[in-house]
Amino acid sequence: MGDLLSAAGAEVSVIPVVQGDGMPKVEVSQLPDSLPILALRNAVLFPGTVYPITIGREKSIRLIEDAERNNMFIGAVPQNDLSVEEPRIDDLYPYGTVAKIIKTLEMPDGTITAILQGYRRFEVESIVDYEPYMLGRVRYLEDLVPADDTNTRMIAETLKEKAVSVIRASSMAPREAVSALKGIDNFEFLVNFVATTVDVENYMEKVELLQYGDLRTRAMKLLSVLDTQVELQKIKQEINQKVKSEIDQQQREYYLNSQLKTIQEELGMDDVEEFAQLRARAEEKLWPASVQTIFDKEIAKLERYNPSSPDYSIQYNYIQFMLDLPWGEMSMDNLDLKNAQKVLDEDHYGLDKVKERIIEYLAVLKLKGDMKSPIICLYGPPGVGKTSLGKSVARALGRKYVRIALGGVHDESEIRGHRKTYVGALPGRILNGINRAGTSNPVIVLDEIDKLTKDMKGDPSSALLEALDPEQNTAFHDNYLDIDYDLSNVLFITTANNIETIHPALRDRMEMINVSGYLAEEKYEIAKRHLVPRQLEEHGLEKSQLKFDRNAIAKIIDDYTHESGVRGLEKQIAKVARVTAKKIALDQEYPSVIKKEHLREYLGLPTNSHDLQKGNEAPGVVTGLAWTSMGGEILFIESSVSRGKGVLTMTGNLGDVMKESATIAYQYIKAHPELTGMPYEEFAEKDIHVHVPEGAVPKDGPSAGITMVTSMVSAFRGRKVKGGIAMTGEMTLRGKVLPVGGIKEKILAAKRAGIHTIIISEENRKDVEDIKEIYVKGLTFVYVRNIRDVIDAAF
């Protein structure tokens, strides 16, 4: 019969349990003269009762552990002052109950729950020791059980009635207590059960029951305690009823206030100034008639709400957002094409395709007067100016600029908003951006669209499908606004590093423009025109205080950065500016013109290793070209041959596609042994190991196919390939060379590494011819159709 009561307290949390109808007995002769004393806070143990008690104090825990280990009797004594952590004899009630530990349980918070069985009462005569826990000399007491007569039975019935009344009114007592109470016939059991089960306001009233050895007297005292508890519960009920009446009164006042408001409106007495202002703002809006109808319904709903109601503020904020949106309000486009070209050229060096597309859009807008805005996606490595280009486009067009960062967004509600009925609901980022811009035709840059993720809350990529489709975004639906909004005049520019991670349907809706990396010459111009002036301004330096020699910038580009963009270059220039600012602040001498010989002092040792980039210094080593989201890179394929059983081993953290390319290359060589100059039988006696350095970096893709076959042939022949050669291309099992992507990025990587000859597929010729002359200047391209052409060109 468990879980009948929970007693609060810092030391104990008690649930009294009574087992059966038979009172457990123990003779005084079986008990010691002294007992370990367990001080109880907010709990009382009565004879015959089983208590689970949570022990928290160190001394109490040690007592419980010793008692359980040695099967000892203990004395459970209530504590007078519950706040005392180290009780002395004066802090204890003089009466307690002999108990034995049935079981202990270790709790996750470090405390121990001990289940105690009470046997008989005792009186504490003295405390003989306080360490390691209290040990008390006690005198055992007998309980006087009255005869089973009419008087005793009447007391028992009254006790049951009072206890049932208290238990039913208590929210803490469990339902099982009532049925358990009715089933007890033993008078001694009944008194102890009620004393432990009933929750009373004054804990000491229960403690004082321990002093009475006569069960009839204890029962009468218990009846007095129950009477007090019943009266307290009646007072509580009266207070609750009064509170309920006050709430009903508030509802009545709200109803009367609503009636009064209606009467005041009829008499022209209502103060409608605020609502009049909202309606005046609505009349100035250029929204469709359907939106005006919705507004009228929503403001009528607002007028019906009590201003103190939570729904009032929700509705008021919604109407304010409706009025704040720039329905049909457009900024005037600057259609001067020459001015637009000038602004774009001022802000960014290069990026001709993007600038050309913006000028085309302006030209059609100038001729036609109206045109759906294009959805442009600028993709390329970091630091090439994709994000800042959006601001430049807005300045060229004379439009407002809004940037929305999508990196890490995984909730569809971030795009479409939450329904306004939810607590804390907000509109989506797109409408929020338009609201901030104050016009319906801003330039919105959706930054890092390839970094969108999805989870159980939805896929934000799918939510963008409507916004970024020129055929659908005339009626974009935001869940918060719940009204279609026209986005067709917004010029969306998205940016990405890796378009492979963009949702295919989303990618299909955008015009993809590749913003590749820069040549060293272009980086110099960008540094000279943009980066150096910006860092001078940010570090509080005058132009006369810090200048860069052309060779110094070239050396920074060459020896201290290794990137497609210019972000790392700007960081190095910023470092030089910081050191210069420090020298000026400390009145130290410094060069006003930074030359390349000063860079070691300012930037430390060069971080680029040009020796590594030479490559091809031994048989089996061939330089390949790769594309990553960071731009083009060179990589080396190394092969070595050893005696063995014709086993191919691949290392270097290669992906499945790259491993397949190595297998195809090896099988092709075995099928055409004449490429290696050795008979077919010897392949069974030689193992070949293919390795791609930088093993910690994952690598994958098919474009290293011709590089791998060249590396293997070089290793089998024992001849190194020509110097200054790099290659890229996929191969088939028949030896045909297939085209690959990322040609411009790979060409830039080759130029950075000092490569002068590039071997690529014949089908990539059109890609090379599409690249501006400045990028391919100084490079020789060898176009190949099959592996034999590759081998001939490489050796």
Side-chain angles (χ1 to χ4, degrees), residues 692-725:
V692 184
E694 298 185 30
V697 180
K699 309 167 192 72
D700 205 2
S703 64
I706 66 172
T707 315
M708 286 184 165
V709 75
T710 306
S711 174
M712 292 183 193
V713 169
S714 174
F716 280 124
R717 286 187 180 183
R719 287 178 56 196
K720 61 182 181 181
V721 300
K722 295 176 184 176
I725 284 184

Side-chain angles (χ1 to χ4, degrees), residues 353 744 764-773 775:
K353 280 192 175 181
K744 184 176 179 182
N764 279 124
R765 184 190 291 269
K766 62 182 183 301
D767 299 312
V768 175
E769 291 174 351
D770 193 41
I771 296 171
K772 290 176 67 174
E773 179 66 27
Y775 292 101

Side-chain angles (χ1 to χ4, degrees), residues 295-498:
F295 173 81
D296 292 338
K297 289 180 180 178
E298 296 296 333
I299 199 167
K301 190 187 298 182
L302 178 66
E303 289 173 328
R304 290 195 297 271
Y305 285 140
N306 186 340
S308 61
S309 166
D311 292 334
Y312 182 88
S313 60
I314 293 173
Q315 186 70 7
Y316 184 80
N317 290 337
Y318 172 71
I319 290 176
Q320 284 286 9
F321 182 72
M322 274 187 75
L323 293 170
D324 289 342
L325 282 174
W327 299 85
E329 298 175 29
M330 309 283 184
S331 59
M332 187 66 68
D333 285 332
N334 185 348
L335 300 179
D336 186 344
L337 303 188
K338 291 182 179 179
N339 177 69
Q341 185 72 55
K342 179 184 175 185
V343 171
L344 293 172
D345 288 339
E346 280 177 1
D347 292 347
H348 290 80
Y349 185 84
L351 306 180
D352 294 332
K353 280 192 175 181
V354 188
K355 295 175 182 177
E356 184 180 339
R357 181 65 185 88
I358 299 301
I359 297 301
E360 288 172 359
Y361 167 67
L362 278 179
V364 175
L365 201 61
K366 185 175 183 178
L367 294 176
K368 186 170 180 282
D370 182 27
M371 179 189 179
K372 288 181 179 178
S373 296
I375 315 292
I376 297 171
C377 178
L378 309 177
Y379 68 95
V384 295
K386 301 183 298 296
T387 304
S388 59
L389 188 64
K391 187 178 290 186
S392 178
V393 169
R395 193 163 77 90
L397 295 174
R399 293 189 182 188
K400 295 294 181 67
Y401 168 75
V402 177
R403 175 181 169 271
I404 299 174
L406 297 179
V409 172
H410 56 84
D411 187 353
E412 179 191 354
S413 299
E414 293 282 339
I415 307 299
R416 283 190 176 277
H418 309 79
R419 298 195 180 278
K420 69 179 182 204
T421 51
Y422 294 129
V423 176
L426 293 170
R429 292 196 182 193
I430 293 177
L431 281 195
N432 246 337
I434 291 175
N435 190 23
R436 291 199 311 270
T439 64
S440 288
N441 64 336
V443 174
I444 294 184
V445 173
L446 300 175
D447 209 9
E448 309 290 1
I449 197 171
D450 57 326
K451 309 297 189 304
L452 285 171
T453 57
K454 62 180 178 180
D455 62 6
M456 59 182 174
K457 295 181 180 178
D459 183 2
S461 296
S462 301
L464 279 174
L465 292 177
E466 181 185 4
L468 299 185
D469 188 344
E471 300 300 323
Q472 298 181 39
N473 65 9
T474 53
F476 175 72
H477 192 87
D478 184 276
N479 290 330
Y480 180 81
L481 183 63
D482 205 21
I483 305 171
D484 291 342
Y485 194 90
D486 186 1
L487 299 180
S488 61
N489 294 301
V490 177
L491 176 54
F492 285 103
I493 297 178
T494 67
T495 72
N497 297 129
N498 183 10

